[in-house]
Amino acid sequence: MRRPWLPLAVATATALLGGQLAFAGSATADSDPVSAKPSPAPAYPADSLRALAARVGLRIGTAVNADELGSNAKYTQITAEQFSSVTAENAMKWAEVEAVRGTYTWEKADQLVAFAEKNRQLVRGHTLLWHNQLPAWLSTDGYTTTLSNEEVKAALKEHIFAQVRHFKGDIWQWDVVNEAFDDNGQPRQTIWYKAWGGTGYIADAFRWAHQADPHALLFYNDYNLEFTGPKSNAVYELVKSLKAQRVPIHGVGFQGHLSTQYGYPDLQSNLERFAALGQKVALTEVDVRTLTKPDAVNVPVDALAPYAQESYWSRSLKACLAVRACISFTPWGFGDSYSWVPGWFSNPQAGAALIYDEQLNPKGQYQVLQQDLALASGAPHRG
Ligand code: XIL
């Protein structure tokens, strides 16, 4: 998996073909480096999210479920046709790629990267450092470990170099550090924090990732940054301090796990203040959940909830469109059957958080995104 990454060629290689927007591709961008035979240009509808977003240079992404991709025809077709960026929902997490110490299993992640290349999509790498989904040999809870501080440090360095080198040239944006702060803006007391005796691990992680792939955009990624408050402020100060130390950080990912239970956040002003620090920004894991019936998954308690959800989807997309530094907008999957929300938010039960229903039919939430993109020709062009 070592191919040149050609964002400009890809971004400029669109052409309208008989009502279908398809990538014409340049000779280089379309060539398979092994066989040197041009691969066929995949076609996708002119009113797809990806085609409409391309007009303002925005990437529309999705998290991808590795079990459905390839085996579920409808799921696979929507992934290819609607989205111009993909994120592995789980397949690139540490527990998945190195469950057994020293033995790497890249197959699922490699399959996604190959799919993305075939379909002219860019890849968000998620995630190099987190306190969840760590292999059991390292930590079962992210806060305790049987390894010494020196061993933890060595393991992180080895992991970042192994993973970033494996995907070198294939990853557009890496989530280097995920969720390092709690909602009070305090650094989480994870195994990383403890091994370094502070937040110094963050700078090291970015430096190592940059050494391993100097062309990838390196992101800090977290939830609830959408709201101004202690957490968003702490991350803002972190980014400022990393910049002052000349640490290679290029972007801040706003996960965007929103709920109609809470008020809509002041997202645009937060995107703007991070952009003003010279950062790219991105919506990386958007879903808009609502309270659902305990005995019927994904059925809202309030019949009017979908209208509130449409409003949240529309406003968050428009916030991204309004900020030129906002380079991608990624829902955390697209079909309600595959969403992490009902399993995770169960007290009270929540769900119906995505833009396609359980049968993979587009919901009103899809349509508002489509309309906003269709009307976005006045938005600043990015890239
Ligand atoms: C979630 C996945 O969607 C689930 O399948 C998995 O069981 C747990 O993790 N923030 C993140 C994502 O950064 O990696 C999480 O993904 C959702 C919250």
Side-chain angles (χ1 to χ4, degrees), residues 89-90 93 126-127 130 133 178-179 221 223 255 257 285 332 340 344:
E89 183 170 0
N90 289 301
K93 291 174 181 171
H126 176 80
T127 173
W130 197 20
Q133 292 177 274
N178 200 33
E179 303 181 356
N221 190 52
Y223 61 90
Q255 292 184 3
H257 294 295
E285 307 183 12
W332 200 236
W340 73 306
W344 194 271

Side-chain angles (χ1 to χ4, degrees), residues 4 109 129 157 176 178 209 264 273 291 295 298 303 312 331 357 361:
L129 185 163
K157 184 171 185 182
V176 178
N178 200 33
Y264 179 78
R273 71 169 171 154
L291 297 181
D295 51 348
N298 290 321
Y312 278 44
D357 68 16
N361 296 315

Side-chain angles (χ1 to χ4, degrees), residues 50-68:
R50 69 180 292 180
L52 295 169
R55 303 188 307 181
V56 290
L58 177 70
R59 291 277 167 169
I60 292 284
T62 182
V64 176
N65 181 317
D67 296 330
E68 300 305 316

Side-chain angles (χ1 to χ4, degrees), residues 1-346:
M1 291 285 158
R2 279 182 183 43
R3 286 175 215 92
W5 175 64
L6 294 160
L8 283 179
V10 170
T12 53
T14 53
L16 259 178
L17 296 174
Q20 292 258 303
L21 193 68
F23 277 110
S26 72
T28 329
D30 258 1
S31 295
D32 175 341
V34 181
S35 66
K37 265 197 337 221
S39 51
Y44 47 85
D47 64 351
S48 61
L49 301 180
R50 69 180 292 180
L52 295 169
R55 303 188 307 181
V56 290
L58 177 70
R59 291 277 167 169
I60 292 284
T62 182
V64 176
N65 181 317
D67 296 330
E68 300 305 316
L69 192 73
S71 65
N72 177 334
K74 193 169 182 187
Y75 182 97
T76 307
Q77 186 185 353
I78 294 170
T79 306
E81 284 188 355
Q82 295 293 329
F83 303 99
S84 48
S85 159
V86 289
T87 310
E89 183 170 0
N90 289 301
M92 289 191 190
K93 291 174 181 171
W94 199 337
E96 299 289 320
V97 299
E98 200 193 358
V100 176
R101 192 170 188 179
T103 305
Y104 292 98
T105 47
W106 304 116
E107 286 77 11
K108 283 183 179 175
D110 284 350
Q111 280 165 16
L112 178 63
V113 171
F115 179 88
E117 173 149 325
K118 181 169 151 232
N119 291 290
R120 306 288 180 267
Q121 295 163 319
L122 300 183
V123 182
R124 295 199 82 259
H126 176 80
T127 173
L128 298 173
L129 185 163
W130 197 20
H131 56 281
N132 283 335
Q133 292 177 274
L134 292 171
W137 58 263
L138 176 56
S139 175
T140 51
D141 60 3
Y143 294 88
T144 57
T145 178
T146 55
L147 304 191
S148 70
N149 289 341
E150 288 316 307
E151 286 171 328
V152 169
K153 288 183 172 184
L156 182 66
K157 184 171 185 182
E158 204 175 308
H159 169 67
I160 289 180
F161 273 99
Q163 184 148 1
V164 177
R165 277 189 182 139
H166 178 80
F167 295 109
K168 188 171 181 194
D170 290 329
I171 303 293
W172 179 35
Q173 308 173 16
W174 266 117
D175 286 335
V176 178
V177 176
N178 200 33
E179 303 181 356
F181 289 86
D182 68 19
D183 276 340
N184 300 317
Q186 296 304 311
R188 288 180 197 274
Q189 312 280 307
T190 59
I191 57 170
W192 317 116
Y193 185 91
K194 289 173 186 162
W196 266 257
T199 54
Y201 69 90
I202 297 177
D204 282 345
F206 277 93
R207 289 191 180 110
W208 292 333
H210 187 63
Q211 281 171 36
D213 185 353
H215 296 299
L217 294 176
L218 305 183
F219 273 64
Y220 176 85
N221 190 52
D222 214 328
Y223 61 90
N224 281 352
L225 303 182
E226 302 84 23
F227 298 83
T228 304
K231 182 175 194 169
S232 181
N233 293 345
V235 173
Y236 181 81
E237 292 306 323
L238 167 79
V239 173
K240 248 172 49 181
S241 129
L242 292 174
K243 295 271 294 177
Q245 298 167 67
R246 301 194 172 281
V247 173
I249 177 169
H250 311 114
V252 177
F254 292 61
Q255 292 184 3
H257 294 295
L258 305 178
S259 170
T260 60
Q261 265 175 287
Y262 310 113
Y264 179 78
D266 48 343
L267 172 60
Q268 188 174 327
S269 51
N270 275 291
L271 293 173
E272 279 163 356
R273 71 169 171 154
F274 282 91
L277 291 177
Q279 296 294 291
K280 301 288 184 200
V281 288
L283 273 294
T284 57
E285 307 183 12
V286 185
D287 42 30
V288 182
R289 61 188 186 273
T290 194
L291 297 181
T292 53
K293 297 187 176 171
D295 51 348
V297 184
N298 290 321
V299 179
V301 172
D302 174 353
L304 292 179
Y307 296 106
Q309 292 172 294
E310 286 174 19
S311 159
Y312 278 44
W313 277 104
S314 172
R315 291 167 82 180
S316 50
L317 175 59
K318 282 187 286 206
C320 178
L321 282 167
V323 179
R324 189 170 180 271
C326 188
I327 56 176
S328 59
F329 182 92
T330 301
W332 200 236
F334 52 88
D336 279 341
S337 299
Y338 312 108
S339 169
W340 73 306
V341 167
W344 194 271
F345 300 92
S346 52

